[in-house]
Each structure stands twice: as structure tokens, then as C-alpha cells.
């Protein structure tokens, strides 16, 4: 291989190095973003893993959870038919998790009254959700989602919430911060 051939090989090696180095820098600067619906679905899927229902004597793996939502279509793309979650429309005969995505306080209060004292984990996104008896409230804080947990409502429903989840949450009893 002559000098011209070696220069071509060296040029190709340098071009490949620059390409991969620049793509790594671009990848390092890229932020992962999610829609609000994706974040809600992610939280709805993760939270039940830290909750113990009355019929469970201890934490079980591979439990299938039935999740009910008023607006099932918004969450449906994020719930696979093969996963441990079954997404159904509210009202339903039974569910483990109820996502109350209504903004209407009357609707929220009526639904919570209907499921009150039943072992159903209620999750919502309303400033009055905990005061009305909801168990977990998802609160947008800038670009992040924070959790608020009403431990008194969880206790009334017979649900035990893991200390791991409580450490990441603002803890309330009714509408009072603990």
C-alpha cells in the first residue's frame, strides 16, 4: 500500500472517529422528554408495586392489577395487553387502582364517595383531591411530577403503603400536611 492508500485509510479512520465522537456528545446532551399522559401512565404503573392490598399477606411478584380510568383512551397507548396491568373504563365492578382524571370537583367527590372504604387505590390530579378522600395526588412541579399521599384515606381503604414510596412523597392526613 502506497502513501496515497495510507492517507485514504487514515482519513477514513479520522472521519469515523469524528462521527462517533460527535454522536456521543449529541447523545449526552439529549434530554429525555415525556408527555403528561406518559408520565401519568408511568406513575400509575409504578405506584401499585409499593402498595399492599388487604388480600395480600405479603408483597407478591407478578400480580395483575386492574386499573380503571374515566378517560381510558388517553392512557390506553401506554398499557400493553401483555403486561401485568389491565386497563378498563370506569365505572367497573372491581379494580385495584382508580385514576380519577376529572377536573370537576363534584365528579371527583361522587366517585371517591362511591369507592370510599373499599380497597381501591385512588390516584388523581386535583388540588382538592386529598381533602375529598383521595389517596395519592400527582402534582406537577415545573417539569417534574411530585406525589402527595393521604395516609388516613389509605388506612380507611385497608391499604398499606410502603415506606419507600412515602419517603418520596408529601404525607397528608385528610388535607393536613404531616
Amino acid at each position: 500500500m502506497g502513501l496515497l492508500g495510507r492517507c485514504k485509510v487514515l482519513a477514513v479512520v479520522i472521519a469515523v472517529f469524528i462521527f462517533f465522537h460527535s454522536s456521543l456528545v449529541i447523545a449526552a446532551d439529549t434530554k429525555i422528554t415525556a408527555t403528561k399522559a406518559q408520565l401519568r401512565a408511568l406513575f400509575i404503573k409504578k405506584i401499585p408495586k409499593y402498595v399492599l392490598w388487604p388480600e395480600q399477606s405479603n408483597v407478591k411478584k407478578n400480580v395483575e392489577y386492574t386499573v380503571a380510568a374515566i378517560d381510558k383512551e388517553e392512557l390506553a397507548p401506554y398499557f400493553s395487553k401483555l403486561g401485568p396491568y389491565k386497563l378498563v373504563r370506569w365505572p367497573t365492578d372491581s379494580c385495584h387502582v382508580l385514576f380519577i382524571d376529572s377536573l370537576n370537583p363534584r365528579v371527583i367527590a361522587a366517585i371517591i364517595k362511591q369507592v370510599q372504604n373499599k380497597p381501591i387505590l385512588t390516584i388523581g390530579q386535583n388540588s382538592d383531591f386529598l381533602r375529598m378522600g383521595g389517596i395519592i395526588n400527582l402534582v406537577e412541579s415545573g417539569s417534574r411530577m411530585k406525589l402527595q399521599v393521604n395516609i388516613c384515606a389509605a388506612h380507611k381503604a385497608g391499604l398499606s403503603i410502603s415506606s419507600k414510596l412515602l419517603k418520596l412523597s408529601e404525607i397528608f392526613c385528610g388535607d393536613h400536611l404531616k
Side-chain angles (χ1 to χ4, degrees):
M1 185 181 321
L3 182 59
L4 187 57
R6 286 186 197 149
C7 287
K8 286 182 182 179
V9 170
L10 183 59
V12 169
V13 169
I14 290 172
V16 169
F17 174 77
I18 290 171
F19 173 76
F20 282 114
H21 180 69
S22 64
S23 65
L24 289 175
V25 170
I26 291 169
D29 291 339
T30 304
K31 292 184 180 181
I32 297 173
T33 58
T35 65
K36 290 179 183 182
Q38 286 172 318
L39 283 176
R40 285 184 206 115
L42 179 65
F43 274 92
I44 291 168
K45 287 179 174 182
K46 294 292 183 184
I47 290 171
K49 295 176 183 178
Y50 299 96
V51 176
L52 193 61
W53 275 261
E55 68 269 11
Q56 295 174 321
S57 57
N58 55 21
V59 179
K60 297 177 183 177
K61 294 184 179 180
N62 302 324
V63 173
E64 184 175 289
Y65 297 101
T66 302
V67 177
I70 297 170
D71 184 9
K72 177 185 167 194
E73 285 73 33
E74 181 189 30
L75 297 175
Y78 311 109
F79 282 82
S80 167
K81 301 211 186 288
L82 301 174
Y85 302 93
K86 178 181 172 187
L87 183 63
V88 299
R89 180 179 308 284
W90 176 260
T92 183
D93 292 335
S94 67
C95 64
H96 293 92
V97 179
L98 173 55
F99 179 59
I100 305 172
D101 50 353
S102 175
L103 298 176
N104 185 332
R106 288 183 178 176
V107 171
I108 295 169
I111 293 172
I112 289 176
K113 185 175 181 178
Q114 189 175 356
V115 300
Q116 203 168 21
N117 303 322
K118 292 182 182 177
I120 296 175
L121 177 66
T122 54
I123 301 175
Q125 285 191 284
N126 185 296
S127 59
D128 294 326
F129 188 73
L130 299 178
R131 183 186 55 75
M132 289 187 250
I135 297 174
I136 295 182
N137 194 33
L138 304 175
V139 179
E140 291 179 39
S141 177
S143 62
R144 297 179 183 248
M145 194 79 75
K146 293 186 340 183
L147 295 174
Q148 296 175 330
V149 178
N150 183 339
I151 56 173
C152 294
H155 181 70
K156 285 180 184 177
L159 303 176
S160 298
I161 299 178
S162 167
S163 61
K164 291 179 183 178
L165 183 65
L166 293 176
K167 285 180 186 176
L168 301 173
S169 309
E170 288 182 297
I171 301 171
F172 291 77
C173 187
D175 61 351
H176 302 291
L177 183 63
K178 287 277 183 180

